[in-house]
Amino acid sequence: MQVLVASNRGPVSFGRAEDGTLTMRRGGGGLVSGLASVAAGTDLLWVCAALSDADRTAARQDPEGRLDKAGHDTGAVRMLDIPEQTFHRAYNSIANSTLWFVHHLLYATPTAPHFDATFRRDWQAYSAYNAAFAGALGQDAEPGAKVVVQDYHLSLVPGMLREARPDLRIAHFSHTPWAPPAYFRLLPDDIGIAILEGMLGADHLGFLCERWAEAFLACCDEILGARIDPVAGTVTYRGRTTRVGVHALGVDGPELRERAGQADVAERIAGLREQVGDRQLILRIDRTELSKNIVRGLAAYWELLLNHPEWRGRVVHLAFAYPSRTDLPEYRAYTAAVERLAAEINDEFGTEDWTPLILQVKDDYARSLAAYQLADVLVVNPIRDGMNLVAKEGPVLSEKGCALVLSREAGAAAELSDDALVVNPFDVSQTAETLNQALLLSGDDRRNRTKRLADAATALPPGRWFAEQLAALD
Amino acid sequence: MQVLVASNRGPVSFGRAEDGTLTMRRGGGGLVSGLASVAAGTDLLWVCAALSDADRTAARQDPEGRLDKAGHDTGAVRMLDIPEQTFHRAYNSIANSTLWFVHHLLYATPTAPHFDATFRRDWQAYSAYNAAFAGALGQDAEPGAKVVVQDYHLSLVPGMLREARPDLRIAHFSHTPWAPPAYFRLLPDDIGIAILEGMLGADHLGFLCERWAEAFLACCDEILGARIDPVAGTVTYRGRTTRVGVHALGVDGPELRERAGQADVAERIAGLREQVGDRQLILRIDRTELSKNIVRGLAAYWELLLNHPEWRGRVVHLAFAYPSRTDLPEYRAYTAAVERLAAEINDEFGTEDWTPLILQVKDDYARSLAAYQLADVLVVNPIRDGMNLVAKEGPVLSEKGCALVLSREAGAAAELSDDALVVNPFDVSQTAETLNQALLLSGDDRRNRTKRLADAATALPPGRWFAEQLAALD
C-alpha cells in the first residue's frame, strides 16, 4: 500500500560543507520519527518544500525535486522548489503571521489583523503553494493511495486533491490548536470558508485534543452551516462526510531516553550541577514564541521571590528561550521583553553568590535533555498550545521526580492535568503560588506524579500516532 | 410599585459655575431617556456613583448622598460618594481595562492581560464598589421592589443584593457584548466564577442581541457547569433559575428628530454644506475607542481612493472621532494612529481644492446631528460592539436616504443587516469595496433602505426597552 505524506518541512534538510558540497541532515520531531517507524514496510513518499538555498540546490538536481534515497530512513522524498517569493508570502505572511495568530488567539485586535490588498496578494501565494503540493501529490499517488497532509500550512491541499483525485484516501492533521468560531470569524469571509472547505476535502481530520476538534466542528457549524454529529465526530457538507478524530501525539520513551543517555548530555549534566548546586531547579524550555508566555512565567517567578522570601538563595530558575521567527518584529520585541525582565529579576533579587535566573537563548538540544533530568519543577505555561511536548518529555527524563506546572490551555493538559499542577496562564499570581506549591511537594509525591505523567506522556508514541491516522483511512 | 435603578453614571452630573456654585446637568443616553418616560407614574430611585469633584461635593450635602429632587425628571437620585482610590481602581482598572477588554476581545494576548498582585488589589476595590451599591439598594428597597442594575461595572451587585434581600426582584442589563467562553477563560478562575455567580443573583438578565445572550449562556455552561435551557433561555444554578432575555435598545425617533431640528443643528448644517459642497459625504461618528475600528475604517477609505480613482474629488469623508479614556496609554496611542493615518490620506490624495478627509476630534453633539442629516454613506465598522446607536440614529435623521455600511460584529447588525451593507470589520479590502458599492447605490435604493432601517432602529425606544425589563420581573 502506498502512503504519501505532505508537510512544509521535510524529513531531511541540506546545508553546505566547507568545501561547498551539499550535506544532508535528518530532521527531528514527532512526525519524522513516526514516519521512520512505519517506513520500513511501506511504499512511502514524503512531499515537502525546499526551505533554504541549499535545499533548493538539492531539489533542482532532479526536475521534479526527487531526492536520492541514500542517507535517510524515511522513504522517498520529493522536495518542491516553490518560487522564493511565493514561499515567503505563503509561509511567513499567511501561515505564520495569520493562521498561527488566529488559532493561538494572538492578535492585538484593535489594529491587527489588517486584511488589505497586500494580504490578498499573499493569500494568492498561499493558494499557489498549496496547489503545488496538491499537484505533486496528485501526480505521484497511485490509485486509492493514502495521503496524510500536515498542518495549517497546507489547509487547502485536501480539497484541491479531492477534486483532482477523488479515488485517494486523504487525512489531514493539525498540530496547532483550532480557533473558536468567535475568533475564526476574524478571517475574511471567503478565506475562512476556503480553509474549512479545504480541510473538509479530507476523509479524516486529526487534532491533538478534544477541545481543538470541538472548536473545528463549531466553526463548520456556525460558518459553513455543515451538519455536525458531535457523538460520531463527523461533519457532513455538500454530500460528503468527514470524520474528525483525536490523536494525542506523545513521545517515544525508549528513543528519548537513549538519546538523553549519550555522552554530550552527560557532559551538560555535570556543567548544570555546578551552576545549580544544591538549590532546587525550576526549568522552562521554549522557543521564544508569542504563545509560550515566557514573560508572564518570569513575572510569576518574580512574585514568588517577592512573596516567599524563604526561597531566595535556595532556588535557581533556568530558562531556555530559543530563537524563533526573528524575522518578525513582534517576535524581536518579545525576545527583548524576555531579556529585560530576566535582567530585572537578577537586578532585584541577585546577591554576590546567588543568580536567581539563568536565561539561555542559544539552542542546545543536549543541554535541554540534561536539564530535564535535573529539574525539580518544570514550568510549561503557554497561553495556547496545540500539545506542548516539553510537558511530556520532562516527566519521561526526570531522574528523581519533577513537579510539572502546566497551563490548562496546552493540549497536553487533557492527558496530564491529574498529576500536573494546573494554572491559568494569564494569572501571574496564581502561577506564582503554584510555583511555591510545586517547590513544597514532597519527594515521594513528585516521584509518584512523575511516574504517572511519564506513562501518560508515552501512551501514544509517534509511530502509533501515525499508524492510527492511517488506520482511520481504512 | 417601587423601582430602583443602579448604574455607575447617574441621570445627572454636577459642574461649577464661575462663581463656584454647583450646577446640575441632566445626562443623555438611552437609559436616562428611558427612565424619564416611566418615572412619572413610578416611585423611582436611581443609585449612581459620584464621578467628579463637583459630584462628590453635591453628594456630601446629604449624609447618604440623596440629591435634591428639583431640576430633573428622573425620580429620586442617590449619588454614592465612593472613596476616590476605590472608585479609580474599580472603574479604570477592572471595569474599563479588564472587563471591557474581555467582552470586546481587545487584548494583545502575548503580554496582556497580566493578572498580578496589583490586579488582585484592584479587584478588591471592584468588590467594595459593588458592595457599596448593593448596600445602598438593600437599604432603600421596599419589600418586593424591583431593582434594575446596569452593565459590567456592577456585575457583582445582583448576587450581593440577592443574599441580603431575597425578597427583591432583580434584573441586570449588559450594554456590552459578552465574551465567548474561550476568551472569558482569560480571567482568573475565581474572578470569572464570581462574575457569573454575581450576574446569576438576578431573576432576569438582559442583553442587546442573541449573540451576546448565547455567549453568556455558553460561559455559564462551560465555566459553572450550570444547567442551560437554550429554548426557554434560562440558567439553573444552585437551585435558582435566572431568565435571559434580549432587549434590543433602539432610539426614540420623535425625541431625536425634535432635537435635530433645533437652531444650533441648523447652523451646523449650513457650515457642513459649505465644507462638503456637491460631493458625496461619507460619515463616521465614534468615540476614539479601541473597539470602534477607526484605523481600519480610514485604511478602507484609502484603498477606495487608490482602487477607484473615479471618486477622487467627488467624495468627502467626515470622521468625528471624539476623545475617550485618554487617561489610558493604549487609547492615546490609538488616537495618535488615527490622526497620523488621516494626515497621510490627505497628503497622498489631497489637491488644491479637495481635502479628502476631515477629521474632527472635538465633541460637538449638534454637529453630529447635522452630519447625520447630510450623509450619503454612514460607516459603522466596530470590531465588536454591544449595539452601536450611531447605526440607528443615522437612518432616523437622514434627509435624502443614506447607505449604511455596518460591521457584522455590532449588535445592531442583528436588526439592520437586511438593509445595511454588512462588512467583516477586519477585512479592509472588503470594506473598501463596500464603500464603493454604497456610493453607487441609487437614490431610490438608499431611500427605501433608509426607511426600513429607521423603522427597525425605532422598534424598541428606550421607554419601552426599560418597560420590557420591568415586565420581565413580574
Side-chain angles (χ1 to χ4, degrees), chain A residues 170-418:
Chain A
I170 306 171
H172 181 283
F173 193 84
S174 292
H175 294 263
T176 61
W178 196 269
Y183 209 87
F184 192 82
R185 286 165 68 97
L186 268 64
L187 288 170
D189 304 21
D190 57 327
I191 288 174
I193 291 170
I195 288 171
L196 295 173
E197 289 184 348
M199 300 273 288
L200 291 178
D203 298 294
H204 181 80
L205 294 172
F207 293 91
L208 285 164
C209 68
E210 286 291 343
R211 268 181 81 195
W212 315 146
E214 284 167 10
F216 176 80
L217 292 175
C219 286
C220 290
D221 177 18
E222 289 191 26
I223 291 161
L224 295 183
R227 199 169 77 243
I228 308 303
D229 182 336
V231 179
T234 58
V235 189
T236 303
Y237 182 65
R238 297 194 173 157
R240 281 195 70 250
T241 295
T242 298
R243 287 185 312 284
V244 173
V246 172
H247 309 284
L249 178 63
V251 302
D252 183 330
E255 185 182 278
L256 185 64
R257 285 191 201 96
E258 194 278 325
R259 176 67 188 89
Q262 289 177 14
D264 57 343
V265 178
E267 187 188 309
R268 303 307 195 280
I269 288 178
L272 288 174
R273 275 197 210 282
E274 205 159 310
Q275 277 189 299
V276 176
D278 58 358
R279 299 182 173 99
Q280 287 210 55
L281 170 58
I282 302 175
L283 174 68
R284 68 176 304 139
I285 303 178
D286 305 280
R287 289 185 298 117
T288 309
E289 156 51 52
L290 297 180
S291 62
K292 296 298 184 185
N293 208 21
I294 305 173
V295 171
R296 289 190 193 84
L298 299 189
Y301 183 56
W302 179 307
E303 203 166 310
L304 171 79
L305 296 177
L306 185 74
N307 292 344
H308 295 279
E310 66 273 21
W311 291 117
R312 294 181 199 166
R314 294 177 50 215
V315 67
V316 169
H317 190 358
L318 198 52
F320 297 160
Y322 299 142
S324 179
R325 302 184 189 172
T326 45
D327 49 328
L328 298 178
E330 295 98 316
Y331 284 73
R332 286 200 300 276
Y334 190 72
T335 302
V338 167
E339 290 176 341
R340 203 160 49 237
L341 183 52
E344 284 169 9
I345 288 171
N346 284 331
D347 198 42
E348 179 75 17
F349 297 104
T351 62
E352 280 284 298
D353 47 3
W354 176 54
T355 303
L357 177 70
I358 300 171
L359 174 69
Q360 303 274 11
V361 300
K362 191 157 171 286
D363 197 350
D364 181 341
Y365 184 57
R367 192 183 52 198
S368 296
L369 296 179
Y372 279 140
Q373 297 178 58
L374 300 182
D376 297 284
V377 176
L378 179 63
V379 183
V380 178
N381 69 326
I383 60 174
R384 197 170 170 92
D385 206 332
M387 172 56 76
N388 198 299
L389 286 175
V390 169
K392 291 191 163 179
E393 289 171 354
V396 171
L397 291 184
S398 173
E399 265 184 5
K400 58 191 171 192
C402 172
L404 174 62
V405 175
L406 179 61
S407 166
R408 67 175 181 200
E409 306 297 331
E415 301 151 85
L416 305 183
S417 60
D418 283 353

Side-chain angles (χ1 to χ4, degrees), chain B residues 75 168 192 195 361 370 393 413:
Chain B
L168 299 178
I195 288 170
V361 300
E393 289 171 353

Side-chain angles (χ1 to χ4, degrees), chain A residues 105-107 109-113 115-117 120 185-189 211 296 303 408-409 424 426-429, chain B residues 105-107 109-113 115-117 120 185-189 211 296 408-409 424 426-429:
Chain A
L105 318 185
L106 290 175
Y107 281 119
T109 52
T111 52
F115 297 125
D116 59 5
R120 291 273 160 187
R185 286 165 68 97
L186 268 64
L187 288 170
D189 304 21
R211 268 181 81 195
R296 289 190 193 84
E303 203 166 310
R408 67 175 181 200
E409 306 297 331
N424 170 347
F426 300 97
D427 193 341
V428 174
S429 294
Chain B
L105 317 184
L106 290 175
Y107 280 120
T109 53
T111 52
F115 297 125
D116 59 5
R120 290 274 160 187
R185 285 164 69 96
L186 268 63
L187 288 169
D189 304 21
R211 268 181 80 197
R296 290 191 192 84
R408 67 175 180 201
E409 306 297 332
N424 171 346
F426 300 97
D427 194 340
V428 173
S429 295

